[in-house]
Amino acid sequence: MKIETIVLREIRMPLVSFFETSFGRTTERRILLVEARSEGVSGWSEVTCGETPFYSHETPDTAAHILADFAAPMVLGKPFQRAAELRPMMRLIRGHPMAKAAIENAAWDIEARQAGKPLWQHLGGTRREIPCGVSIGIKNRIEDLIEAIAKELAAGYQRIKIKIKPGWDLAVLEAVRRRFPEIRLMGDANSAYTLDDLEHLRQFDRFKLMMLEQPLWHDDIYFHARLQRELQTAICLDEAIHHARDAEMAIELGACRIINVKLGRVGGYSSALEIERLTRRKGIPVWCGGMLESGIGRAHNIALSTLENFTLPGDVSASKRYWQEDIIEPEVTVTPEGTIAAPEKPGLGYEIKQERIRALTVWEKTLV
Ligand code: OSB
Ligand code: MG
């Protein structure tokens, strides 16, 4: 197979409600879509970076630059057998995993479409239905958060994650636990604490959280191991894990008991598959994280979540929590049991709403 053309499109999509983390508030997404074409078949993906370099260094503009000027020239017109070979073809590019992932993931979509199989089956997924959780951002008031949690529980979601930061943590968790004593609950700090907060973080143990996600520095593994030794609550790493070696180091050091796998952050499917195999072997459960994706990124997250070791509910939830109207059809919906059914159709398994994408596009660039 060869990729003959890559089309980059930036779309703008307002979120139905703002999403706030310890590093800031998002109200409108800028999403870079990648369409890769091979022998009349299009594969689709999205670059999962944020608008700002606050979660990771990548932004839509850095990704467009890396894709157009470096990654696309490394793969366009070059023959390969399997989509997984694209990762080594782009290895000279240091960092920029989300940009590279978009190319590799689009190729996996092409490959699955050519095989006439749903992508999740092509990846070796075993789960026909994936367990779903929600990630709920920081709100203006605790009452707003309680109301949001009640709504998501009523919709069936199997676990609730709340975003925390200094000043939006103990009192909030106290209030949430008072109202919902038994739910599966976790907190995500997005690196808002340091080891100086040890005594403070110790107090989280009384809330019986499923896990505490990335409490310390985004680029740290070692000091998370020190923290994990001091806490009863399981630590889950997100920002710090970029590939299987990071996962292996984190496990060997005891820096976490759970790992959040994001397709973009780890550089695409071949890396995510490696992490899945490694963690399965080591007995460390994983789940699929979210990056406020459009339906295209969401469909990829669903496919990834069907792999065996994705045993915990992920941040993969219904389209309508994010968008007035999604760019895929049907939209992603969640069952009353809090699951998403893996699609039956080939490739991503959803129709791409090309007209809708056209209407949302702010610029488009064709690379050959
Ligand atoms: O840390 O998991 C995170 C969104 C943007 C950046 C980082 C994170 C998140 C989420 C949202 O938690 C997950 C989602 O609903 O897509
Ligand atoms: Mg996170």
Side-chain angles (χ1 to χ4, degrees):
M1 159 180 21
K2 276 206 294 262
I3 296 176
E4 295 132 13
T5 311
I6 292 175
V7 185
L8 305 180
R9 295 178 180 88
E10 182 186 324
I11 59 169
R12 302 266 164 107
M13 290 176 89
L15 289 165
V16 294
S17 46
F18 72 83
F19 185 78
E20 187 172 322
T21 67
S22 62
F23 55 74
R25 186 179 282 198
T26 309
T27 53
E28 187 185 44
R29 296 291 337 276
R30 291 177 60 194
I31 297 175
L32 193 57
L33 298 178
V34 171
E35 177 187 359
R37 297 189 189 133
S38 175
E39 292 165 14
V41 178
S42 281
W44 291 81
S45 66
E46 82 180 67
V47 180
T48 60
C49 60
E51 290 67 35
T52 56
F54 304 161
Y55 168 81
S56 81
H57 64 277
E58 293 184 88
T59 70
D61 297 316
T62 69
H65 163 53
I66 294 297
L67 284 166
D69 298 336
F70 300 102
M74 288 172 180
V75 303
L76 280 169
K78 308 268 165 65
F80 59 94
Q81 303 289 326
R82 301 286 318 266
E85 290 164 36
L86 291 176
R87 180 175 164 77
M89 284 162 71
M90 296 182 281
R91 72 184 175 278
L92 281 179
I93 301 171
R94 290 188 180 171
H96 304 282
M98 294 166 179
K100 290 183 281 189
I103 289 195
E104 188 191 322
N105 297 349
W108 278 89
D109 182 24
I110 295 177
E111 197 171 79
R113 287 176 202 261
Q114 285 175 343
K117 274 207 250 174
L119 176 56
W120 66 272
Q121 280 178 8
H122 184 62
L123 290 165
T126 50
R127 217 176 291 286
R128 296 193 153 269
E129 227 179 351
I130 65 160
C132 305
V134 285
S135 174
I136 304 181
I138 293 167
K139 304 288 187 188
N140 292 326
R141 308 173 318 147
I142 292 182
E143 303 86 89
D144 297 350
L145 177 65
I146 299 280
E147 197 179 302
I149 294 174
K151 180 174 162 210
E152 305 299 4
L153 291 170
Y157 288 102
Q158 298 183 14
R159 74 101 169 94
I160 301 291
K161 157 167 143 183
I162 67 169
K163 291 290 187 179
I164 55 171
K165 64 173 184 181
W168 182 267
D169 51 7
L170 293 173
V172 174
L173 288 164
E174 191 74 58
V176 171
R177 264 305 180 219
R178 204 176 314 125
R179 175 71 194 280
F180 308 104
E182 302 294 341
I183 61 168
R184 293 217 270 174
L185 180 66
M186 59 175 288
D188 185 357
N190 289 109
S191 306
Y193 301 91
T194 72
L195 274 184
D196 292 340
D197 301 310
L198 177 59
E199 288 316 311
H200 182 76
L201 292 170
R202 251 194 244 284
Q203 297 182 64
F204 287 29
D205 279 342
R206 70 174 190 272
F207 301 116
K208 304 283 172 242
L209 302 179
M210 285 177 85
M211 68 195 93
L212 174 59
E213 188 176 339
Q214 196 75 36
L216 307 178
W217 307 275
H218 73 94
D219 55 355
D220 171 73
I221 295 177
Y222 179 81
F223 291 103
H224 278 92
R226 220 191 252 182
L227 177 63
Q228 181 67 94
R229 284 198 287 279
E230 303 291 332
L231 299 183
Q232 282 158 26
T233 307
I235 290 176
C236 169
L237 291 179
D238 170 355
E239 281 90 331
I241 304 296
H242 303 98
H243 39 60
R245 255 185 319 104
D246 279 341
E248 192 165 359
M249 167 155 64
I251 295 166
E252 281 187 15
L253 290 174
C256 63
R257 298 191 197 130
I258 299 171
I259 291 175
N260 166 334
V261 182
K262 289 181 181 169
L263 261 180
R265 191 194 70 231
V266 305
Y269 278 116
S270 50
S271 169
L273 287 163
E274 237 182 275
I275 294 173
E276 193 272 341
R277 283 191 295 272
L278 169 86
T279 52
R280 179 149 43 90
R281 191 154 41 77
K282 301 272 188 187
I284 296 288
V286 303
W287 52 278
C288 179
M291 290 293 290
L292 310 175
E293 287 92 344
S294 78
I296 290 176
R298 198 164 299 282
H300 279 290
N301 289 345
I302 293 168
L304 181 69
S305 304
T306 66
L307 296 170
E308 195 177 321
N309 201 36
F310 284 73
T311 52
L312 297 169
D315 283 343
V316 185
S317 46
S319 297
K320 68 170 186 209
R321 294 191 62 244
Y322 306 84
W323 319 116
Q324 200 73 254
E325 184 189 340
D326 206 339
I327 58 172
I328 56 166
E329 210 160 46
E331 300 204 333
V332 174
T333 55
V334 167
T335 66
E337 292 72 45
T339 63
I340 294 172
E344 306 281 340
K345 295 205 190 116
L348 278 182
Y350 297 83
E351 292 308 324
I352 308 292
K353 292 170 81 168
Q354 313 246 16
E355 270 311 310
R356 175 82 184 135
I357 290 174
R358 233 187 307 279
L360 297 170
T361 297
V362 291
W363 62 263
E364 171 177 327
K365 190 169 185 173
T366 300
L367 309 167
V368 288

